[in-house]
């Protein structure tokens, strides 16, 4: 949604919003665990000799136990707000630079920063701004066509921008609430003691920023010429490997999903698009996971996910998988991904868990989620993040059926994807939000997005015995669900007996010629 109105944010100053007393009708779902202490950041590992490591660890644990809960919260809040503040400021700056490199818009960085300050200091940050008269859809279209904005249109875009930045700040507030109540661990990547060096090393960050800005120029040219299917010049559709719908330059990104460069830049590009909040949106499904894991251990014993088999479908770079493994390291995980390049990125991003005591096994599988190479009833949980909006209707239905097939009865599907039409009401701007969703596919080459945004997910998954027993959480422009498999999926009458399925080993390819040979 940010990119849907970025073209229209051509340097208007942020207008003061109209204030009303009505607050959001529905806030993000929260889990309060009174018995648990705040999720403290992990302390840095000191270069101690082996004979001192265990005594030092015990002293640190006792000190933490002795620290009052209020003091722990103060430490947690200080580190979290510092980390997300830096993250937001950095990716806001990156977004401003990206808009200027693309040449299609010129976002006013000072105006956006002022909106963030207002969102943080606003005593009623969830106040609703009425949008009954919104004309945002036409404004965005006019701006994308290069037409000048009137003063009234610029004010409306400023209002929309401010409302979204307020939603981002509220998203961080929600996560801090989860951390203070011990619902899930302090994100490892927000703690310099545990974050990957590539995320904080200035040289690595500069290289990613430079390459992303360079690629943004190519993306802009592709968008201007509506070239969203360049991949079809290199790859032929093959239902057994790459179906036609997959061979798209989604987001007009270079190489689609089929190059190592695309996989290397993806996370940075997504965080730039969502101003550093993409990981936080993904993590808003973790409270659902936490409740399920707690119930699993109450029934089966064990801790930290031990005894669980979890399938992460369409793992991408494996970023979300790292948060699962950080919280429940003893579970066994399987990462399924269609792109060999992104599957390799999953392997690299999960190296931090190798050779860690008590860590479960990770299996990498390159396959299409419409026909997964696993037996029926083989997983306790399935996770799926940001996939369905890039699949046509029939492919989504096939995938939903497969999710249900491989889940054990009573197992859970944890599902995260884009917010849908009507979800703007939770943010206080339903009409403007829906208009942005309508324009988003055109601006970002998302040919199946509009149909997805109108899909009844309860009905889709319910057809295969997956039932939503809890209300979904709207986390800014994402939505998180938990579905329970109530009964086995009925096989079609006359279906042939299922043959043994073979786990597909990752096949790494470096260019189009090698990819053709692999097929």
């Amino acid at each position: 949604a940010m990119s849907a109105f970025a073209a229209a944010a051509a340097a208007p100053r942020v207008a003061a919003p109209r204030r009303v007393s009505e607050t959001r009708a529905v806030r993000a779902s929260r889990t309060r665990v009174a018995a648990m202490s705040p999720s403290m950041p992990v302390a840095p590992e000191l270069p101690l000799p082996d004979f001192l490591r265990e005594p030092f660890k015990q002293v640190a644990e006792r000190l933490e136990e002795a620290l009052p809960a209020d003091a722990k919260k103060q430490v947690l809040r200080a580190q979290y707000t510092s980390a997300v503040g830096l993250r937001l400021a950095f990716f806001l700056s990156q977004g401003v630079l990206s808009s200027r490199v693309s040449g299609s818009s010129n976002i006013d960085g000072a105006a956006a920063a002022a909106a963030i300050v207002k969102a943080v200091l606003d005593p009623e940050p969830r106040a609703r701004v009425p949008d009954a008269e919104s004309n945002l859809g036409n404004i965005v279209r006019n701006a994308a066509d290069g037409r000048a904005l009137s003063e009234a249109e610029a004010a409306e875009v400023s209002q929309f921008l401010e409302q979204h930045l307020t939603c981002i700040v509220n998203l961080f507030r929600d996560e801090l609430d989860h951390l203070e109540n011990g619902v899930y661990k302090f994100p490892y990547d927000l703690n310099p003691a545990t974050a990957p060096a590539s995320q904080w090393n200035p040289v690595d960050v500069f290289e990613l920023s430079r390459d992303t800005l360079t690629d943004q120029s190519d993306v802009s040219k592709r968008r201007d010429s509506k070239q969203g299917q360049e991949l079809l010049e290199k790859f032929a559709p093959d239902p057994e490997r790459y179906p036609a719908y997959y061979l798209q330059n989604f987001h007009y990104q270079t190489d689609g999903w089929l190059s190592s460069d695309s996989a290397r830049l993806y996370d940075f590009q997504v965080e730039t698009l969502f101003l550093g909040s993409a990981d936080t949106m993904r993590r808003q499904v973790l409270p659902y996971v936490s409740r399920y894991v707690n119930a699993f251990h109450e029934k089966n014993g064990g801790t930290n996910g031990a005894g669980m088999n979890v399938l992460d479908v369409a793992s991408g770079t494996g970023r979300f998988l790292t948060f699962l493994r950080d919280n429940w390291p003893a579970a066994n995980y399987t990462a399924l991904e269609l792109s060999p390049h992104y599957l390799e990125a999953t392997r690299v991003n999960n190296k931090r868990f190798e050779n860690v005591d008590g860590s479960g096994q990770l299996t990498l599988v390159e396959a299409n989620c419409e026909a997964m190479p696993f037996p029926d009833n083989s997983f306790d949980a399935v996770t799926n993040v940001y996939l369905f909006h890039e699949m046509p209707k029939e492919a989504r239905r096939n995938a939903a059926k497969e999710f249900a097939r491989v889940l054990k009865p009573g197992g859970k599907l944890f599902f995260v994807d884009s917010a849908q039409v009507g979800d703007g009401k939770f943010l206080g701007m339903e009409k403007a939000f829906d208009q942005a969703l309508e324009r988003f596919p055109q601006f970002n080459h998302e040919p199946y997005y509009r149909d997805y945004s109108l899909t009844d997910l309860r009905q889709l998954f319910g057809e295969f015995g997956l039932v939503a027993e809890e209300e979904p959480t709207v986390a800014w422009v994402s939505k998180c669900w938990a579905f329970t498999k109530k009964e086995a999926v009925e096989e079609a009458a006359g279906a042939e007996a299922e043959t043994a399925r073979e786990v597909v080993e990752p096949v790494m390819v470096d260019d189009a010629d090698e990819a053709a040979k692999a097929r």
Side-chain angles (χ1 to χ4, degrees):
M2 287 294 294
S3 63
F5 68 82
R13 290 288 171 179
V14 177
R18 292 168 285 175
R19 297 293 300 278
V20 294
S21 59
E22 182 183 357
T23 56
R24 265 198 337 173
V26 178
R27 295 185 63 177
S29 172
R30 292 183 175 175
T31 304
R32 298 188 180 276
V33 185
M36 297 184 67
S37 62
S39 174
M40 297 294 290
V42 176
E45 184 174 335
L46 301 178
L48 298 172
D50 291 341
F51 70 91
L52 286 178
R53 286 183 183 275
E54 187 59 29
F56 180 83
K57 178 181 178 183
Q58 293 177 2
V59 170
E61 289 175 349
R62 291 181 181 179
L63 286 174
E64 182 176 334
E65 290 174 358
L67 195 64
D70 287 344
K72 290 181 181 180
K73 286 186 177 181
Q74 292 303 320
V75 173
L76 186 150
R77 287 177 184 177
Q79 179 150 349
Y80 183 79
T81 54
S82 297
V84 298
L86 178 63
R87 189 182 183 95
L88 182 57
F90 174 80
F91 283 109
L92 174 62
S93 301
Q94 186 72 16
V96 171
L97 291 173
S98 180
S99 73
R100 293 176 178 174
V101 168
S102 68
S104 60
S105 61
N106 186 8
I107 297 175
D108 187 341
I116 292 174
V117 171
K118 180 169 180 57
V120 172
L121 299 180
D122 192 338
E124 293 186 12
R126 296 179 184 275
R128 177 177 178 176
V129 178
D131 70 333
E133 304 300 324
S134 175
N135 189 38
L136 189 74
N138 289 329
I139 294 174
V140 171
R141 182 181 60 194
N142 293 343
D145 291 342
R147 306 176 198 174
L149 300 179
S150 68
E151 184 175 343
E153 289 174 331
E156 182 168 351
V157 170
S158 292
Q159 176 176 291
F160 188 66
L161 174 62
E162 181 175 307
Q163 189 81 347
H164 273 279
L165 291 171
T166 299
C167 289
I168 295 176
V169 173
N170 289 337
L171 177 67
F172 292 142
R173 284 192 176 104
D174 287 335
E175 175 156 83
L176 181 57
D177 184 75
H178 292 316
L179 299 178
E180 288 182 346
N181 287 283
V183 177
Y184 54 86
K185 289 178 63 175
F186 191 94
Y188 73 88
D189 68 320
L190 296 183
N191 182 359
T194 53
S198 60
Q199 188 169 309
W200 298 96
N201 185 302
V203 175
D204 292 338
V205 172
F206 174 78
E207 183 178 356
L208 272 174
S209 175
R210 179 200 63 200
D211 293 348
T212 297
L213 291 173
T214 299
D215 185 63
Q216 181 59 38
S217 178
D218 295 332
V219 168
S220 181
K221 293 175 183 176
R222 210 171 282 118
R223 178 181 291 116
D224 291 342
S225 60
K226 306 298 181 185
Q227 293 181 349
Q229 295 184 324
E230 282 186 348
L231 282 179
L232 289 175
E233 299 174 6
K234 300 179 180 179
F235 297 89
D238 179 1
E240 298 298 321
R241 184 73 185 270
Y242 300 132
Y245 70 80
Y246 185 77
L247 297 177
Q248 308 263 355
N249 295 83
F250 290 104
H251 324 137
Y252 290 110
Q253 67 190 46
T254 303
D255 300 327
W257 306 119
L258 293 175
S259 77
S260 57
D261 281 341
S262 171
R264 183 175 67 90
L265 298 179
Y266 175 78
D267 287 322
F268 196 91
Q269 291 172 328
V270 170
E271 291 294 352
T272 299
L273 176 64
F274 296 116
L275 302 185
S277 69
D279 278 342
T280 309
M281 287 191 288
R282 294 182 182 104
R283 288 195 293 264
Q284 297 319 289
V285 80
L286 294 184
Y288 296 97
V289 182
S290 180
R291 288 192 285 272
Y292 175 66
V293 175
N294 290 340
F296 180 91
H297 287 318
E298 287 179 6
K299 179 180 179 181
N300 302 287
T303 60
N304 295 326
M308 292 182 60
N309 292 305
V310 180
L311 171 64
D312 185 42
V313 177
S315 291
T317 64
R319 184 79 175 170
F320 176 70
L321 185 58
T322 64
F323 296 118
L324 288 175
R325 299 187 74 193
D326 191 46
N327 278 274
W328 300 284
N332 292 318
Y333 294 91
T334 298
L336 182 139
E337 169 59 42
L338 186 53
S339 167
H341 307 284
Y342 278 72
L343 194 63
E344 171 64 8
T346 294
R347 184 190 67 78
V348 172
N349 284 334
N350 280 268
K351 286 182 68 175
R352 64 183 293 111
F353 301 103
E354 293 179 1
N355 302 318
V356 175
D357 290 342
S359 180
Q361 181 181 358
L362 173 63
T363 303
L364 303 178
V365 178
E366 182 188 339
N368 189 333
C369 68
E370 293 183 70
M372 296 191 289
F374 310 117
D376 295 354
N377 308 319
S378 52
F379 293 98
D380 299 288
V382 171
T383 59
N384 180 238
V385 178
Y386 297 152
L387 169 68
F388 269 35
H389 71 274
E390 292 187 347
M391 301 178 80
K393 182 179 297 185
E394 189 59 28
R396 289 196 297 267
R397 189 174 180 277
N398 293 339
K401 184 177 181 180
E402 281 291 274
F403 294 171
R405 182 183 66 79
V406 300
L407 265 176
K408 297 177 182 178
K412 293 275 191 177
L413 165 65
F414 300 104
F415 181 88
V416 183
D417 213 301
S418 168
Q420 296 176 290
V421 168
D423 288 335
K425 63 178 176 290
F426 301 125
L427 309 176
M429 47 180 180
E430 183 172 4
K431 184 177 179 182
F433 194 85
D434 288 351
Q435 289 176 332
L437 291 180
E438 184 177 357
R439 301 296 177 184
F440 178 79
Q442 303 171 26
F443 186 79
N444 254 24
H445 188 64
E446 292 279 13
Y448 314 111
Y449 186 94
R450 180 62 179 170
D451 183 72
Y452 165 79
S453 72
L454 297 168
T455 297
D456 184 337
L457 293 175
R458 290 181 188 272
Q459 181 179 21
L460 172 62
F461 289 115
E463 179 182 352
F464 304 108
L466 298 173
V467 179
E469 297 179 313
E470 303 175 80
E471 289 300 311
T473 293
V474 176
W476 186 31
V477 292
S478 296
K479 186 158 63 173
C480 308
W481 296 80
F483 297 90
T484 304
K485 181 177 178 179
K486 287 299 186 181
E487 58 186 31
V489 179
E490 294 183 2
E491 297 294 338
E496 296 181 358
E498 183 178 18
T499 56
R501 294 170 179 265
E502 179 184 1
V503 174
V504 182
E505 294 296 330
V507 179
M508 303 311 303
V509 293
D510 295 325
D511 55 36
D513 291 338
E514 291 188 20
K517 294 177 182 177
R519 288 200 304 274

